[in-house]
Amino acid sequence: MAETGYSATLIAPAKINLSLTVLGRRDDGFHDLISLVAFADLHDRLSVTLSETGSDQLTVAGPFAGSLDRDNLVLKAISAFRKEIGPVPPLSITLHKAIPVAAGLGGGSADAAAILRLLAREHGLTTMAPSIQAIAAGLGADIPVCLDSRCRYMRGTGTTLDPEESGFARYPALLVNPGVAVPTGAVFGALAAEQKAGRDISGPRSLAEDIVTGRNDLEAPAVAVAPEIGPVLSALSDLPGALGARLSGSGATCFALFETDSERDRAAERFRQTYPAYWLHAGALRNWEMDSLFPQTPAFSG
């Protein structure tokens, strides 16, 4: 029986597409791709208690709460879990939204993955269990890779995952968003998909090279949809110490990586002077340990 005083905290890290190659358009209208995905120290936070109303409740707070659809992936993930795996008591969830919405950082996917991690643990399942992966893939292409928040390649429509990249190292990172909405559909619409079929994916051959010099095939179409992205990429590339700059996913968040925290911090201050109104996060890429994604999280019962 569930504890009446139950209270849990879940961490939902932002994902970064360090590289993204579009291989071609499929017959079903989706695109095959290969993307190296890592995760930032930036994260949403979910506070979970047992609902007193007999139904699931979701409250959204934080700096990006106003732009989030209340009928979001968190509630859909709970419903899908009940249908496919087993019972879940009615939950009351407060989502503190710190990741910009529709920004190429997978915030909604990260939130859904966080609640699936909790429900999987309650039923004695791992995040890589086929049933959990199937639910995640059915909800959204980025959700499977967000389940364990560790660096790996994803392929196909995004739901086929390579083994974790053991050679991943922490990188200081500067994330910038110019505050424009960039719908993913519009970016893929601007992509000349017919020219991508059978795309040669030759390029960086090592993990370190792909992290620093990889490419994003959605960058040019995203700039066409939202021209504000172009100057951000140029400004980031020109910052002293920046190891290049790219777009994450379909945007509009851009990032630059650095070798040291001090280089990143100096670059952040310089960027703020030029674009004081833009959202900026000076942090780092990291591989999250599973325990760190579950702070203060007891079991539902016992």
Side-chain angles (χ1 to χ4, degrees):
M1 181 171 177
E3 296 181 358
T4 57
Y6 179 83
S7 179
T9 300
L10 310 175
I11 299 299
K15 67 91 182 165
I16 307 289
N17 295 94
L18 296 176
S19 66
L20 195 159
T21 302
V22 179
L23 304 178
R25 186 182 176 91
R26 297 152 45 111
D27 291 340
D28 60 9
F30 292 98
H31 289 78
D32 281 322
L33 55 84
I34 176 171
S35 179
L36 177 61
V37 178
F39 292 83
D41 55 0
L42 171 70
H43 61 82
D44 290 344
R45 185 178 67 254
L46 291 79
S47 299
V48 183
T49 60
L50 299 182
S51 175
E52 297 180 355
T53 67
S55 62
D56 297 323
Q57 304 291 320
L58 177 65
T59 302
V60 185
F64 296 101
S67 53
L68 190 68
D69 182 358
R70 295 311 193 263
D71 183 26
N72 79 345
L73 285 171
V74 171
L75 297 180
K76 292 178 181 178
I78 298 171
S79 177
F81 189 96
R82 288 194 183 106
K83 180 180 179 180
E84 300 296 333
I85 296 181
V88 177
L91 300 178
S92 178
I93 301 166
T94 298
L95 170 58
H96 183 87
K97 197 68 189 164
I99 301 173
V101 176
L105 297 176
S109 296
D111 300 336
I115 201 70
L116 283 177
R117 278 194 297 270
L118 174 65
L119 302 184
R121 193 179 71 165
E122 288 292 326
H123 284 252
L125 299 170
T126 69
T127 57
M128 297 304 290
S131 56
I132 299 299
Q133 288 288 316
I135 290 173
L139 291 168
D142 281 340
I143 299 177
V145 78
C146 289
L147 281 167
D148 63 0
S149 299
R150 297 178 71 82
C151 182
R152 66 176 74 237
Y153 285 91
M154 63 181 192
R155 302 174 186 270
T157 59
T159 59
T160 300
L161 304 182
D162 283 8
E164 175 189 331
E165 289 289 344
S166 59
F168 177 78
R170 176 188 183 276
Y171 278 87
L174 184 60
L175 311 182
V176 175
N177 189 294
V180 294
V182 187
T184 300
V187 173
F188 275 100
L191 178 70
E194 68 278 4
Q195 298 178 2
K196 302 294 182 180
R199 178 70 179 267
D200 177 16
I201 61 171
S202 62
R205 295 300 183 184
S206 72
L207 177 64
E209 287 176 325
D210 213 2
I211 289 172
V212 174
T213 65
R215 68 173 186 247
N216 182 348
D217 284 346
L218 298 182
E219 196 168 283
V223 172
V225 172
E228 296 91 338
I229 294 172
V232 172
L233 289 168
S234 295
L236 287 174
S237 296
D238 291 341
L239 291 172
L243 303 175
R246 285 192 298 284
L247 185 73
S248 179
S250 57
T253 303
C254 306
F255 67 92
L257 303 180
F258 299 83
E259 291 185 346
T260 67
D261 290 349
S262 59
E263 286 179 326
R264 176 207 60 206
D265 293 342
R266 287 193 296 269
E269 183 58 33
R270 180 169 174 173
F271 191 93
R272 283 193 185 99
Q273 293 173 3
T274 306
Y275 295 100
Y278 286 180
W279 175 86
L280 183 151
H281 174 76
L285 304 183
R286 60 175 289 187
N287 267 346
W288 286 79
E289 298 295 335
M290 189 59 66
D291 286 349
S292 64
L293 299 171
F294 284 113
Q296 305 174 16
T297 304
F300 285 149
S301 60

